[in-house]
Amino acid sequence: MILNAPNPFRPGAGRVPPELAGRSAVLADFMGMLEAVATDGEGERPWIISGLRGVGKTVLLNQCARNAVAAGWVVVKLEASGNQSLAVQLAKEIYVALRKAATVSDKVKRSFGDAFAVFRSFQLKVDPAGTYGFGFDIQAASGKADSGQLSTDLAEMLESLGLAARAAGTGVLLAVDELQEAPKEDLEALNVALHQLGQDPRPTPLMFLGTGLPSLPSVLAKASTYAERMYLYRTLGLLSDEDTKDALVTPSLRERVTWSEEALDLVLETSRGYPYFVQACGKHIWDVAASRTIDADDAHIGIARARDEVDAGLYKSRWERATTAQQEFMAAMAQDNDAPSTVSDIATRLGRAQTAVSAARQSLIQSGLIYTPRRGYLAFTVPGMADYIIRHGHEERS
C-alpha cells in the first residue's frame, strides 16, 4: 500500500467515485436545465437516463440531487421497488421533503402551505396507515389529490409542489432510481401525471429525473405509448479510454501518485471502460503498489485481485440464482461475448425450437439479467457477464 496516501477508489453499488469521469456533459446539461427552470419558472421535459448495471446511473442521479439541493431546490428522491407501491414511497419521501422545506424559513413554510394540505389528502388516500407529523396542524385539502385515482391525485400533488416552489422562488426535483422496478400500473399513473403537468399552461418549476436499466424506455412505453415522445432519453454508456484514464489518474495526482503508461494500458485492456471494474482495479492496484509510481507489476497483481472480487460479488451471485435452464440460455448467449445475441441463434445452439426457450428468455428479462436492445436481440445487463460465463460457467454447471 502506498505510504501515507489514502486509497481514493471506491468500488461498490452507488458509491461516489473520486472522479466522475465521462459524465460532465450530462451534468452540465442538467445544471443548464436547473438554471433555465429557475429563470423561466417553468418545467422541462422529464428526463430518463438508462444504462447497464454498474455504469454509474445511481451515482449520477445522486450527484444531480446534490446539485439541486445546493441550488436551493426541494428534492424528492427514492428508489422504486416491485415490492411496494410507488405512490406509498412517494408519500413518504414527499413528507420528508416538506418537513425540510418547513424549516428553511417562515416564507418558505407559508409558500408551501397549500402543498402541505394537498399532501395530507394524498397521503390519506395512498397510505392511510402512515403517521406523519410536522409539528403543526395540517388540514387535508378537500377535493385535491383525494379522488383515489392515482394518476389524478399524483398530478395534483406534483402541481401543488411545483406551484409552492414557484411562490418560494425555487423548484422541485423528483428523482426516482431503478424506475423499471415500479409496478406497471404505477408507471402508467406516473406517465399520465407528468403528461398532464407538462400540458398545464401555468409555469410549474418541477423536474423529473428517472434512471434505470436499458429496458426502461420500453417499459415506460408499454405503460403509456406516448411515453416515447414525452421523455428526454439519455443513455449512459461505458467509459472511453480517455475517460478511464481520467478516472484513475486525476484522483491519484491529488495524492501525488502517478501511473505508468503500461499500468494504464493494462487497466484499459481489462476493464473495457466498465466504471465499476475500473474502480475495483484502482482500489486493488493502489493497495499493492509499493511506491508513488504505479507500474505494470502493480497493475497485474491488482487487476487479478479486482477480478476475483468482482467475480465473487457481481457475477457469481447473478449466475447462481439462475435456474439450470436460465444458465444454459445465458451460456448460449455468452458465445457472442458481450455483443447482442439473436433468439434464433440461441435456440440453434441449444438444439431447441425458439418457442421452447421462450420461458427462460422471459424469466431472465423479468429478473433483470438480460434485456432486449432491439427487436429480436438479447444482451446482458451487466458488462463482462459473458466473459465470466466463459471462464467459470462450465465448471459451475457441472
Side-chain angles (χ1 to χ4, degrees):
M1 184 173 181
I2 300 171
L3 186 64
N4 297 325
N7 195 323
F9 298 101
R10 303 184 185 97
R15 299 190 70 188
V16 181
E19 185 69 23
L20 205 55
R23 310 310 184 206
S24 57
V26 179
L27 277 173
D29 288 348
F30 177 81
M31 290 306 297
M33 193 161 57
L34 276 186
E35 293 171 6
V37 172
T39 301
D40 301 335
E42 187 173 356
E44 292 281 345
R45 287 171 66 190
W47 267 33
I48 294 295
I49 298 177
S50 60
L52 300 172
R53 294 282 185 201
V55 296
K57 301 181 300 297
T58 300
V59 170
L60 184 60
L61 179 139
N62 289 339
Q63 186 60 54
C64 288
R66 282 191 290 271
N67 288 356
V69 169
W73 280 51
V74 175
V75 175
V76 179
K77 183 169 72 72
L78 59 100
E79 180 179 322
S81 168
N83 299 322
Q84 190 173 33
S85 162
L86 187 62
V88 172
Q89 290 182 283
L90 280 169
K92 292 177 180 177
E93 297 306 324
I94 290 172
Y95 162 70
V96 172
L98 286 175
R99 280 200 66 181
K100 290 179 180 178
T103 64
V104 173
S105 67
D106 288 340
K107 176 189 174 183
V108 172
K109 183 177 176 180
R110 288 193 301 272
S111 298
F112 277 83
D114 288 342
F116 285 120
V118 175
F119 165 77
R120 180 65 81 197
S121 298
F122 182 75
Q123 178 260 323
L124 290 173
K125 278 295 180 184
V126 303
D127 189 24
T131 55
Y132 300 93
F134 290 100
F136 49 90
D137 291 334
I138 298 293
Q139 189 70 32
S142 179
K144 282 283 189 180
D146 60 1
S147 70
Q149 182 73 27
L150 180 56
S151 57
T152 300
D153 294 346
L154 182 56
E156 291 179 348
M157 178 71 259
L158 295 180
E159 179 188 50
S160 72
L161 282 175
L163 294 175
R166 185 180 65 179
T170 184
V172 175
L173 172 66
L174 173 57
V176 183
D177 196 16
E178 299 289 356
L179 188 57
Q180 79 283 339
E181 297 295 331
K184 182 180 178 181
E185 58 271 20
D186 287 4
L187 289 177
E188 182 179 7
L190 178 66
N191 285 343
V192 171
L194 292 173
H195 189 52
Q196 290 178 358
L197 203 62
Q199 294 176 319
D200 195 322
R202 292 176 296 177
T204 307
L206 183 140
M207 287 173 51
F208 177 83
L209 172 61
T211 58
L213 291 175
S215 59
L216 179 55
S218 64
V219 169
L220 290 169
K222 287 178 182 176
S224 307
T225 54
Y226 56 78
E228 296 173 343
R229 306 182 303 277
M230 188 179 78
Y231 292 98
L232 176 63
Y233 292 97
R234 303 289 293 264
T235 300
L236 213 59
L238 301 177
L239 300 177
S240 67
D241 286 355
E242 288 305 310
D243 290 334
T244 300
K245 289 181 180 180
D246 187 27
L248 296 168
V249 172
T250 299
S252 299
L253 288 176
R254 297 189 191 114
E255 302 296 336
R256 293 179 291 113
V257 173
T258 58
W259 289 69
S260 72
E261 284 301 319
E262 293 82 0
L264 287 173
D265 287 342
L266 285 169
V267 178
L268 291 178
E269 180 183 354
T270 308
S271 69
R272 300 179 183 178
Y274 184 30
Y276 181 86
F277 193 45
V278 170
Q279 289 297 308
C281 287
K283 176 188 181 301
H284 286 283
I285 291 171
W286 191 281
D287 283 345
V288 302
S291 74
R292 289 184 176 272
T293 298
I294 294 172
D295 60 23
D297 289 337
D298 300 325
H300 278 296
I301 299 170
I303 289 171
R305 293 187 179 186
R307 188 187 294 282
D308 288 343
E309 177 189 295
V310 174
D311 278 357
L314 182 65
Y315 299 120
K316 187 176 182 179
S317 61
R318 284 168 167 75
W319 178 257
E320 290 187 341
R321 71 172 182 251
T323 65
T324 300
Q326 290 173 336
Q327 288 180 352
E328 290 174 350
F329 192 99
M330 290 191 291
M333 286 179 60
Q335 295 183 37
D336 293 311
N337 294 312
D338 268 341
S341 306
T342 66
V343 179
S344 60
D345 282 347
I346 295 168
T348 299
R349 291 165 188 167
L350 293 173
R352 300 171 193 163
Q354 290 189 38
T355 54
V357 300
S358 61
R361 168 187 172 276
Q362 190 58 34
S363 61
L364 285 167
I365 291 174
Q366 290 176 346
S367 63
L369 290 171
I370 66 174
Y371 74 104
T372 54
R374 57 187 184 274
R375 187 176 180 83
Y377 285 82
L378 297 165
F380 293 109
T381 58
V382 180
M385 189 71 194
D387 178 66
Y388 172 84
I389 293 171
I390 291 168
R391 288 185 290 111
H392 296 280
H394 177 72
E395 64 187 54
E396 293 191 9
R397 288 198 305 278
S398 60

